[in-house]
Structures are given as structure tokens and as C-alpha cells.
């Protein structure tokens, strides 16, 4: 099993790697002057299951468009070089909100994104808190996994309230 992280802040991927007791696999991300990127694995993926962690939430460095393109191109590269299976672990799936037409000529971007993932040979897509679970599952022909964060919090909150402490500092509103 190979586990890659394309996120610049790989905190989630490092925690996932530690929980699975596997190292993060190295990759190269080379930027060119015109804004293009070259992403390639630095280990041979042939015959192995590869998991690629990458949130598609836009930020100051990259837009959701950029992140989606990086993920798709990297996954296609893994498949082209013989990975047995490629799974995308996408904590935030951009474009999932637009899962139906609400006005004439509206795009259904979730379906288009699903087609892009399928075109690069995605075996499975794992997301956290899909906007609309039924639409998410129906849009993709590959295996999908929807993880719910509230279950983790449901288990933790009683411990926090019993101990009388929260795991983060409380903010006092400004007067």
C-alpha cells in the first residue's frame, strides 16, 4: 500500500499514516513559470494499491480548480505506471454542492467531477461529510465511501463535558 499526500499542510495525512502504520510515499511537485505543475511518484506504484489524500478546499495558494487538476493528473500518473488500484481520499470534495439543476441551464458539477474521476481510473473515492450523500453516491460509478465526522464528536463530547474541559481554548467575545 502506498499513501500519498498532495496537501501542502499534510497534518491529516500524517495522522492517517501513523494510524495505518505506513509511511507517506514521496512524490515530486514541480512548478513551472507558467503556473503548470508536474506531479510524479518517487516510488514505483506497479501492482500496488495507492491512496492519494488531497482536500479540494480552495485556499490562498491554490483554487479548488487547481487542486482538482493536480489530484486527477497525479492519479492518472499512478494508473499509467501500473498501480493496481487508486483511491482518492478527499476530506473536502469541491463542486459537490451543485448536485442538481435548480435553474434553466444550470450545471450539475458533481456529475462532471464524477466523470473526471472515472476518466482517470479512480477505483474508490472517500470523502468526509458529503453535501448530499444520496447525490454523491449516485453520481459516481466507482466505489464511494462517505465518512461522517459527527460520529467522532458524538463519542468525544461526553468525555469533555464530564471532565469539565474542552480540547480547545474558549474565545471570549470582544465587548
Amino acid at each position: 500500500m502506498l499513501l500519498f499526500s498532495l496537501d501542502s499542510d499534510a497534518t491529516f495525512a500524517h495522522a492517517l499514516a501513523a494510524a495505518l502504520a505506513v509511511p507517506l510515499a514521496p512524490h515530486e511537485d514541480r512548478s513551472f513559470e507558467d503556473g503548470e505543475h508536474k506531479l510524479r511518484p518517487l516510488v514505483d506504484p506497479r501492482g500496488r494499491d495507492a491512496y492519494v489524500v488531497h482536500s479540494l478546499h480552495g485556499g490562498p495558494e491554490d483554487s479548488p480548480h487547481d487542486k482538482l487538476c493536480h489530484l486527477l493528473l497525479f492519479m492518472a500518473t499512478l494508473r499509467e505506471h501500473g498501480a493496481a488500484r487508486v483511491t482518492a481520499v478527499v476530506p473536502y470534495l469541491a463542486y459537490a454542492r451543485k448536485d442538481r439543476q435548480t435553474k434553466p441551464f444550470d450545471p450539475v458539477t458533481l456529475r462532471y467531477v464524477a466523470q473526471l474521476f472515472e476518466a482517470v481510473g479512480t477505483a474508490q473515492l472517500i470523502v468526509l461529510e458529503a453535501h448530499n450523500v444520496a447525490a454523491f453516491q449516485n453520481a459516481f460509478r466507482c466505489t464511494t465511501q462517505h465518512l461522517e465526522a459527527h460520529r467522532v464528536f458524538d463519542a468525544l463530547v461526553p468525555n469533555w463535558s464530564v471532565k469539565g474541559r474542552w480540547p480547545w481554548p474558549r474565545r471570549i467575545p470582544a465587548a
Side-chain angles (χ1 to χ4, degrees):
M1 174 169 132
L2 294 172
L3 179 63
F4 294 93
S5 175
L6 303 184
D7 288 327
S8 56
D9 175 12
T11 305
F12 173 73
H14 283 292
L16 184 58
L20 296 172
V22 297
L24 282 178
H27 73 284
E28 175 187 24
D29 182 353
R30 184 172 170 204
S31 300
F32 296 97
E33 291 177 6
D34 63 356
E36 291 182 24
H37 285 257
K38 176 181 84 171
L39 291 118
R40 70 181 181 107
L42 296 177
V43 293
D44 187 359
R46 186 163 310 282
R48 300 173 77 181
D49 284 346
Y51 293 79
V52 184
V53 178
H54 195 43
S55 176
L56 300 182
H57 189 274
E61 295 176 24
D62 291 317
S63 71
H65 317 305
D66 294 332
K67 290 182 172 189
L68 178 61
C69 189
H70 293 170
L71 177 60
L72 293 170
L73 293 175
F74 189 72
M75 292 178 68
T77 300
L78 291 169
R79 287 289 297 149
E80 185 172 330
H81 292 285
R85 233 170 60 125
V86 181
T87 298
V89 180
V90 183
Y92 176 80
L93 181 63
Y95 304 108
R97 183 176 300 138
K98 195 65 184 131
D99 55 23
R100 62 191 171 93
Q101 290 181 336
T102 56
K103 295 179 182 172
F105 312 114
D106 262 359
V108 183
T109 56
L110 178 61
R111 185 173 58 221
Y112 310 150
V113 167
Q115 292 169 346
L116 291 170
F117 274 103
E118 291 162 8
V120 300
T122 304
Q124 180 173 220
L125 180 67
I126 302 171
V127 302
L128 181 64
E129 297 292 342
H131 178 71
N132 177 336
V133 178
F136 166 69
Q137 292 170 337
N138 288 327
F140 288 84
R141 288 181 290 195
C142 66
T143 303
T144 58
Q145 298 291 324
H146 168 258
L147 305 178
E148 297 176 345
H150 72 84
R151 292 183 185 199
V152 174
F153 288 107
D154 290 349
L156 294 174
V157 168
N159 293 333
W160 294 336
S161 61
V162 168
K163 294 177 184 175
R165 63 179 176 82
W166 294 94
W168 57 84
R170 291 190 182 173
R171 295 180 189 229
I172 300 171

Coordinates of all heavy atoms in Angstrom, one line a residue, residues 12-87:
F12 N -3.3 16.0 8.4 CA -4.3 14.9 8.3 C -3.6 13.7 7.7 O -3.8 12.6 8.3 CB -5.5 15.3 7.5 CG -6.5 14.2 7.2 CD1 -7.3 13.7 8.2 CD2 -6.6 13.6 6.0 CE1 -8.2 12.7 8.0 CE2 -7.5 12.5 5.7 CZ -8.3 12.1 6.8
A13 N -2.9 13.8 6.7 CA -2.2 12.6 6.0 C -1.2 12.0 7.0 O -1.1 10.8 7.0 CB -1.6 13.1 4.7
H14 N -0.5 12.8 7.7 CA 0.5 12.3 8.7 C -0.2 11.5 9.8 O 0.2 10.4 10.2 CB 1.4 13.4 9.3 CG 2.4 13.9 8.4 ND1 3.5 13.1 8.0 CD2 2.6 15.0 7.7 CE1 4.3 13.8 7.2 NE2 3.7 15.0 7.0
A15 N -1.3 12.0 10.3 CA -2.1 11.3 11.3 C -2.7 10.0 10.7 O -2.6 8.9 11.4 CB -3.2 12.2 11.8
L16 N -3.1 10.0 9.5 CA -3.7 8.8 8.8 C -2.5 7.8 8.7 O -2.7 6.6 8.9 CB -4.3 9.2 7.5 CG -4.9 8.1 6.7 CD1 -6.1 7.4 7.5 CD2 -5.5 8.7 5.4
A17 N -1.4 8.2 8.2 CA -0.2 7.3 8.0 C 0.2 6.7 9.4 O 0.4 5.5 9.4 CB 0.9 8.1 7.4
A18 N 0.2 7.5 10.4 CA 0.5 6.9 11.7 C -0.5 5.9 12.2 O -0.1 4.9 12.7 CB 0.6 8.1 12.8
A19 N -1.8 6.2 12.0 CA -2.8 5.3 12.4 C -2.8 4.0 11.6 O -3.1 2.9 12.1 CB -4.2 5.9 12.2
L20 N -2.3 4.0 10.3 CA -2.2 2.9 9.5 C -0.9 2.2 9.6 O -0.7 1.1 9.0 CB -2.5 3.2 8.0 CG -3.9 3.7 7.7 CD1 -4.0 4.3 6.3 CD2 -4.9 2.6 7.9
A21 N 0.1 2.8 10.3 CA 1.4 2.3 10.4 C 2.1 2.2 9.1 O 2.8 1.2 8.8 CB 1.5 1.0 11.2
V22 N 1.9 3.1 8.2 CA 2.6 3.2 6.9 C 3.2 4.6 6.7 O 2.6 5.5 7.2 CB 1.6 2.9 5.7 CG1 1.1 1.5 5.8 CG2 0.5 3.9 5.6
P23 N 4.3 4.6 6.0 CA 4.9 6.0 5.8 C 4.2 6.6 4.6 O 3.6 6.0 3.8 CB 6.4 5.6 5.4 CG 6.3 4.3 4.8 CD 5.2 3.5 5.5
L24 N 4.3 8.0 4.6 CA 3.8 8.7 3.4 C 4.8 8.5 2.3 O 6.0 8.6 2.5 CB 3.7 10.2 3.7 CG 2.5 10.7 4.5 CD1 2.6 12.2 4.7 CD2 1.2 10.3 3.8
A25 N 4.3 8.1 1.1 CA 5.2 7.9 0.0 C 5.6 9.2 -0.6 O 4.8 10.1 -0.7 CB 4.4 7.0 -1.1
P26 N 6.9 9.3 -1.0 CA 7.4 10.5 -1.6 C 6.9 10.8 -3.0 O 6.6 9.8 -3.8 CB 8.9 10.3 -1.5 CG 9.1 8.9 -1.7 CD 7.9 8.2 -1.0
H27 N 6.7 12.0 -3.3 CA 6.4 12.4 -4.7 C 7.0 13.8 -5.0 O 7.5 14.5 -4.1 CB 4.9 12.5 -4.9 CG 4.2 13.7 -4.2 ND1 4.0 13.8 -2.8 CD2 3.8 14.9 -4.7 CE1 3.5 14.9 -2.5 NE2 3.3 15.6 -3.6
E28 N 7.1 14.1 -6.2 CA 7.7 15.4 -6.7 C 6.6 16.2 -7.2 O 5.7 15.8 -7.9 CB 8.7 15.1 -7.8 CG 9.2 16.4 -8.4 CD 10.0 16.2 -9.7 OE1 9.9 15.2 -10.4 OE2 10.9 17.1 -10.0
D29 N 6.6 17.5 -6.7 CA 5.6 18.5 -7.2 C 6.5 19.7 -7.7 O 7.0 20.5 -7.0 CB 4.7 19.0 -6.1 CG 3.6 20.0 -6.6 OD1 3.7 20.4 -7.7 OD2 2.8 20.3 -5.8
R30 N 6.6 19.7 -9.0 CA 7.5 20.7 -9.7 C 6.6 21.8 -10.3 O 5.7 21.5 -11.1 CB 8.4 20.1 -10.7 CG 9.3 21.0 -11.3 CD 10.3 20.3 -12.2 NE 11.1 21.3 -12.9 CZ 11.7 21.0 -14.1 NH1 11.6 19.8 -14.6 NH2 12.3 21.9 -14.7
S31 N 6.9 23.1 -10.0 CA 6.1 24.2 -10.5 C 6.9 24.8 -11.7 O 8.1 24.9 -11.6 CB 5.9 25.3 -9.5 OG 5.1 24.7 -8.4
F32 N 6.2 25.2 -12.7 CA 6.8 25.9 -13.8 C 6.4 27.3 -13.9 O 5.4 27.7 -13.2 CB 6.4 25.2 -15.2 CG 6.9 23.8 -15.3 CD1 6.1 22.7 -14.9 CD2 8.2 23.5 -15.7 CE1 6.6 21.4 -15.0 CE2 8.7 22.2 -15.7 CZ 7.9 21.1 -15.4
E33 N 7.2 28.1 -14.6 CA 6.9 29.6 -14.6 C 5.5 29.9 -15.1 O 5.0 31.0 -14.7 CB 8.0 30.3 -15.5 CG 9.4 30.2 -14.9 CD 10.4 30.8 -15.9 OE1 10.0 31.4 -16.9 OE2 11.6 30.8 -15.6
D34 N 4.9 29.1 -15.9 CA 3.6 29.5 -16.5 C 2.5 29.0 -15.6 O 1.3 29.1 -15.9 CB 3.5 28.9 -17.9 CG 3.5 27.4 -17.9 OD1 3.8 26.7 -16.9 OD2 3.3 26.8 -19.0
G35 N 2.8 28.4 -14.4 CA 1.8 28.0 -13.5 C 1.5 26.5 -13.5 O 0.7 26.0 -12.7
E36 N 2.0 25.8 -14.5 CA 1.8 24.4 -14.6 C 2.6 23.7 -13.6 O 3.5 24.2 -13.0 CB 2.2 23.9 -16.0 CG 1.3 24.4 -17.1 CD 1.8 23.8 -18.5 OE1 2.4 22.7 -18.5 OE2 1.5 24.4 -19.5
H37 N 2.1 22.4 -13.3 CA 2.8 21.6 -12.3 C 3.1 20.2 -12.9 O 2.3 19.8 -13.7 CB 1.9 21.4 -11.0 CG 1.9 22.6 -10.2 ND1 2.6 22.7 -9.0 CD2 1.2 23.7 -10.3 CE1 2.3 23.8 -8.4 NE2 1.5 24.5 -9.2
K38 N 4.1 19.6 -12.4 CA 4.4 18.2 -12.7 C 4.4 17.5 -11.4 O 5.2 17.8 -10.5 CB 5.7 18.0 -13.5 CG 6.0 16.6 -13.7 CD 7.4 16.4 -14.4 CE 8.5 16.4 -13.4 NZ 9.8 16.0 -13.9
L39 N 3.5 16.5 -11.3 CA 3.5 15.7 -10.1 C 3.8 14.3 -10.5 O 3.2 13.8 -11.4 CB 2.1 15.7 -9.4 CG 1.8 17.1 -8.8 CD1 0.6 17.7 -9.5 CD2 1.5 16.9 -7.3
R40 N 4.7 13.6 -9.8 CA 5.0 12.2 -10.1 C 5.5 11.5 -8.8 O 6.1 12.1 -7.9 CB 6.1 12.1 -11.1 CG 7.5 12.6 -10.6 CD 8.6 12.5 -11.7 NE 9.8 12.9 -11.2 CZ 10.8 12.0 -10.9 NH1 10.7 10.8 -11.2 NH2 12.0 12.5 -10.5
P41 N 5.1 10.2 -8.7 CA 5.6 9.5 -7.5 C 7.1 9.2 -7.6 O 7.6 9.1 -8.7 CB 4.8 8.2 -7.7 CG 4.5 8.0 -9.1 CD 4.4 9.4 -9.7
L42 N 7.7 9.2 -6.5 CA 9.1 8.9 -6.5 C 9.4 7.4 -6.0 O 10.5 7.0 -5.7 CB 9.9 9.8 -5.5 CG 9.8 11.3 -6.0 CD1 10.5 12.2 -5.0 CD2 10.5 11.4 -7.4
V43 N 8.3 6.6 -6.0 CA 8.4 5.2 -5.8 C 7.6 4.5 -6.9 O 6.6 5.1 -7.4 CB 7.9 4.8 -4.4 CG1 8.8 5.3 -3.3 CG2 6.4 5.3 -4.2
D44 N 7.9 3.3 -7.2 CA 7.2 2.5 -8.2 C 5.9 2.0 -7.7 O 5.8 1.3 -6.8 CB 8.1 1.3 -8.6 CG 7.5 0.6 -9.8 OD1 6.5 1.0 -10.4 OD2 8.2 -0.4 -10.3
P45 N 4.8 2.5 -8.4 CA 3.4 2.1 -7.9 C 3.0 0.7 -8.5 O 1.9 0.3 -8.2 CB 2.6 3.2 -8.4 CG 3.2 3.7 -9.7 CD 4.7 3.5 -9.4
R46 N 3.8 0.1 -9.4 CA 3.3 -1.0 -10.1 C 2.8 -2.1 -9.2 O 3.5 -2.6 -8.3 CB 4.4 -1.6 -11.0 CG 4.0 -2.7 -11.9 CD 5.0 -3.0 -13.1 NE 5.4 -1.8 -13.8 CZ 4.6 -1.2 -14.7 NH1 3.4 -1.7 -15.0 NH2 5.1 -0.1 -15.4
G47 N 1.5 -2.5 -9.5 CA 0.9 -3.6 -8.8 C 0.5 -3.3 -7.3 O 0.1 -4.2 -6.6
R48 N 0.6 -2.1 -6.9 CA 0.2 -1.7 -5.5 C -1.0 -0.9 -5.5 O -1.4 -0.2 -6.4 CB 1.4 -1.0 -4.9 CG 2.7 -1.8 -5.0 CD 3.9 -1.1 -4.5 NE 3.9 -1.0 -3.1 CZ 4.9 -0.3 -2.4 NH1 5.9 0.2 -3.1 NH2 4.9 -0.2 -1.1
D49 N -1.7 -1.0 -4.3 CA -2.8 -0.1 -4.1 C -2.3 1.3 -3.6 O -1.5 1.3 -2.7 CB -3.7 -0.7 -3.0 CG -4.6 -1.8 -3.4 OD1 -4.7 -2.0 -4.7 OD2 -5.2 -2.5 -2.6
A50 N -2.7 2.3 -4.3 CA -2.3 3.7 -4.0 C -3.5 4.5 -3.5 O -4.5 4.4 -4.0 CB -1.7 4.3 -5.2
Y51 N -3.2 5.2 -2.4 CA -4.2 6.1 -1.8 C -3.6 7.5 -1.9 O -2.5 7.7 -1.4 CB -4.5 5.7 -0.3 CG -5.2 4.4 -0.2 CD1 -4.5 3.2 -0.3 CD2 -6.5 4.3 0.0 CE1 -5.1 2.0 -0.2 CE2 -7.2 3.1 0.1 CZ -6.4 1.9 0.0 OH -7.1 0.7 0.1
V52 N -4.4 8.5 -2.4 CA -4.0 9.8 -2.5 C -4.9 10.7 -1.7 O -6.1 10.8 -1.9 CB -4.0 10.3 -4.0 CG1 -3.4 11.7 -4.1 CG2 -3.2 9.3 -4.9
V53 N -4.3 11.4 -0.7 CA -5.0 12.3 0.2 C -4.9 13.7 -0.3 O -3.7 14.2 -0.5 CB -4.5 12.2 1.7 CG1 -5.2 13.2 2.6 CG2 -4.5 10.8 2.2
H54 N -6.0 14.4 -0.6 CA -5.9 15.7 -1.1 C -7.3 16.4 -0.9 O -8.3 16.0 -1.5 CB -5.5 15.8 -2.5 CG -5.1 17.1 -3.1 ND1 -4.3 17.9 -2.4 CD2 -5.4 17.7 -4.2 CE1 -4.0 19.0 -3.1 NE2 -4.7 18.9 -4.2
S55 N -7.3 17.4 -0.1 CA -8.6 18.2 0.1 C -8.7 19.2 -1.1 O -7.7 19.7 -1.5 CB -8.5 19.0 1.4 OG -9.7 19.8 1.5
L56 N -9.9 19.3 -1.6 CA -10.2 20.2 -2.7 C -10.7 21.6 -2.2 O -11.2 22.4 -3.0 CB -11.1 19.6 -3.7 CG -10.6 18.2 -4.3 CD1 -11.6 17.7 -5.3 CD2 -9.3 18.4 -4.9
H57 N -10.5 21.9 -1.0 CA -11.0 23.2 -0.4 C -10.0 24.2 -0.9 O -8.8 24.1 -0.8 CB -11.0 23.2 1.1 CG -11.6 24.4 1.7 ND1 -10.9 25.5 1.9 CD2 -12.9 24.6 2.1 CE1 -11.7 26.4 2.4 NE2 -12.9 25.9 2.5
G58 N -10.5 25.3 -1.5 CA -9.7 26.4 -2.0 C -9.0 27.2 -0.9 O -9.5 27.2 0.2
G59 N -7.9 27.7 -1.2 CA -7.1 28.5 -0.2 C -6.3 29.6 -0.8 O -6.4 29.8 -2.0
P60 N -5.4 30.2 0.0 CA -4.6 31.3 -0.6 C -3.6 30.8 -1.6 O -3.2 31.6 -2.5 CB -3.9 31.8 0.6 CG -4.0 30.8 1.7 CD -5.2 29.9 1.4
E61 N -3.2 29.5 -1.6 CA -2.2 29.0 -2.5 C -2.8 28.5 -3.8 O -2.4 28.8 -4.9 CB -1.4 28.0 -1.9 CG -0.5 28.4 -0.7 CD 0.2 27.3 -0.1 OE1 0.5 26.3 -0.7 OE2 0.6 27.5 1.1
D62 N -3.9 27.7 -3.7 CA -4.5 27.0 -4.8 C -6.0 27.1 -4.8 O -6.6 27.0 -3.7 CB -4.1 25.6 -4.9 CG -2.6 25.4 -5.2 OD1 -2.1 26.1 -6.1 OD2 -2.0 24.5 -4.6
S63 N -6.6 27.2 -5.9 CA -8.1 27.2 -6.0 C -8.6 25.8 -6.0 O -7.8 24.8 -6.3 CB -8.5 27.9 -7.3 OG -8.2 27.1 -8.4
P64 N -9.8 25.5 -5.8 CA -10.4 24.2 -6.0 C -10.1 23.6 -7.4 O -9.8 22.4 -7.5 CB -11.9 24.3 -5.8 CG -12.0 25.6 -5.0 CD -10.9 26.5 -5.4
H65 N -10.1 24.5 -8.4 CA -9.8 24.0 -9.8 C -8.4 23.4 -9.8 O -8.2 22.4 -10.4 CB -9.9 25.2 -10.8 CG -11.0 26.1 -10.7 ND1 -12.3 25.7 -10.6 CD2 -11.1 27.4 -10.5 CE1 -13.1 26.7 -10.5 NE2 -12.4 27.8 -10.4
D66 N -7.4 24.2 -9.3 CA -6.0 23.8 -9.3 C -5.9 22.5 -8.6 O -5.2 21.5 -9.1 CB -5.1 24.8 -8.7 CG -5.0 26.1 -9.4 OD1 -5.2 26.1 -10.7 OD2 -4.8 27.2 -8.8
K67 N -6.5 22.4 -7.4 CA -6.3 21.2 -6.6 C -6.9 20.0 -7.3 O -6.4 18.9 -7.2 CB -6.9 21.4 -5.2 CG -6.1 22.4 -4.3 CD -6.7 22.5 -3.0 CE -5.8 23.3 -2.1 NZ -6.2 23.3 -0.7
L68 N -8.1 20.1 -7.9 CA -8.7 19.0 -8.6 C -7.9 18.6 -9.7 O -7.7 17.4 -9.9 CB -10.1 19.5 -9.1 CG -10.9 18.4 -9.9 CD1 -11.2 17.2 -9.0 CD2 -12.2 19.0 -10.4
C69 N -7.3 19.5 -10.5 CA -6.5 19.1 -11.6 C -5.2 18.4 -11.1 O -4.8 17.4 -11.7 CB -6.1 20.4 -12.4 SG -5.2 20.1 -13.9
H70 N -4.6 18.9 -10.1 CA -3.4 18.2 -9.5 C -3.7 16.8 -9.1 O -3.0 15.8 -9.4 CB -2.9 18.9 -8.3 CG -2.3 20.3 -8.6 ND1 -2.0 21.2 -7.6 CD2 -2.0 20.9 -9.7 CE1 -1.5 22.3 -8.1 NE2 -1.5 22.1 -9.4
L71 N -4.9 16.6 -8.4 CA -5.3 15.3 -8.0 C -5.5 14.3 -9.1 O -5.0 13.2 -9.2 CB -6.5 15.4 -7.1 CG -7.1 14.1 -6.6 CD1 -6.1 13.3 -5.7 CD2 -8.4 14.4 -5.8
L72 N -6.3 14.8 -10.1 CA -6.6 14.0 -11.2 C -5.4 13.6 -12.0 O -5.2 12.4 -12.4 CB -7.6 14.7 -12.1 CG -9.0 14.9 -11.5 CD1 -9.9 15.8 -12.4 CD2 -9.7 13.5 -11.3
L73 N -4.5 14.5 -12.3 CA -3.3 14.2 -13.0 C -2.4 13.3 -12.3 O -1.8 12.4 -12.9 CB -2.5 15.5 -13.4 CG -3.3 16.4 -14.4 CD1 -2.5 17.7 -14.6 CD2 -3.5 15.7 -15.7
F74 N -2.3 13.4 -11.0 CA -1.4 12.5 -10.2 C -2.0 11.1 -10.2 O -1.3 10.1 -10.3 CB -1.2 13.1 -8.8 CG -0.2 12.3 -8.0 CD1 1.1 12.4 -8.2 CD2 -0.6 11.4 -6.9 CE1 2.1 11.7 -7.5 CE2 0.3 10.7 -6.2 CZ 1.7 10.9 -6.5
M75 N -3.3 11.0 -10.0 CA -4.0 9.7 -10.0 C -3.8 9.0 -11.4 O -3.6 7.8 -11.4 CB -5.4 9.8 -9.6 CG -5.6 10.3 -8.2 SD -7.3 10.5 -7.7 CE -7.9 8.8 -7.8
A76 N -4.0 9.8 -12.4 CA -3.8 9.2 -13.8 C -2.3 8.7 -14.0 O -2.1 7.7 -14.6 CB -4.1 10.3 -14.8
T77 N -1.4 9.4 -13.4 CA 0.0 9.0 -13.5 C 0.2 7.7 -12.8 O 0.9 6.8 -13.3 CB 0.9 10.1 -12.9 OG1 0.7 11.3 -13.6 CG2 2.4 9.7 -13.0
L78 N -0.4 7.6 -11.6 CA -0.2 6.3 -10.8 C -0.8 5.1 -11.6 O -0.2 4.1 -11.7 CB -0.9 6.4 -9.5 CG -0.3 7.4 -8.5 CD1 -1.2 7.6 -7.3 CD2 1.1 6.8 -8.0
R79 N -2.0 5.4 -12.2 CA -2.6 4.3 -13.0 C -1.8 4.0 -14.2 O -1.6 2.8 -14.6 CB -4.0 4.7 -13.5 CG -5.0 4.7 -12.4 CD -5.4 3.3 -11.9 NE -6.1 2.6 -13.0 CZ -6.0 1.3 -13.1 NH1 -5.3 0.6 -12.2 NH2 -6.6 0.7 -14.1
E80 N -1.3 5.0 -14.9 CA -0.5 4.8 -16.1 C 0.8 4.0 -15.8 O 1.3 3.2 -16.7 CB -0.1 6.1 -16.7 CG 0.6 6.0 -18.1 CD 0.8 7.3 -18.8 OE1 0.0 8.2 -18.6 OE2 1.8 7.5 -19.5
H81 N 1.3 4.1 -14.6 CA 2.5 3.4 -14.3 C 2.3 2.2 -13.5 O 3.1 1.7 -12.7 CB 3.5 4.4 -13.5 CG 4.0 5.4 -14.5 ND1 4.9 5.2 -15.4 CD2 3.6 6.7 -14.6 CE1 5.2 6.3 -16.1 NE2 4.3 7.2 -15.7
G82 N 1.0 1.6 -13.6 CA 0.8 0.3 -13.1 C 0.2 0.1 -11.8 O 0.1 -1.1 -11.3
A83 N -0.3 1.1 -11.1 CA -0.9 0.9 -9.8 C -2.1 0.0 -10.0 O -2.9 0.2 -10.9 CB -1.3 2.3 -9.2
A84 N -2.2 -1.0 -9.1 CA -3.3 -1.9 -9.2 C -4.7 -1.2 -8.9 O -5.6 -1.5 -9.7 CB -3.2 -3.0 -8.1
R85 N -4.7 -0.3 -8.0 CA -5.9 0.4 -7.6 C -5.5 1.8 -7.1 O -4.6 1.9 -6.4 CB -6.7 -0.3 -6.5 CG -8.1 -0.7 -6.7 CD -8.6 -1.6 -5.7 NE -8.5 -1.1 -4.3 CZ -9.5 -1.0 -3.5 NH1 -10.7 -1.4 -3.9 NH2 -9.3 -0.5 -2.3
V86 N -6.3 2.8 -7.5 CA -6.0 4.1 -7.0 C -7.3 4.6 -6.3 O -8.4 4.7 -6.9 CB -5.6 5.1 -8.1 CG1 -5.3 6.5 -7.5 CG2 -4.4 4.6 -8.8
T87 N -7.1 5.0 -5.0 CA -8.2 5.6 -4.2 C -7.9 7.0 -3.9 O -6.8 7.3 -3.4 CB -8.4 4.7 -2.9 OG1 -8.7 3.4 -3.2 CG2 -9.5 5.3 -2.0

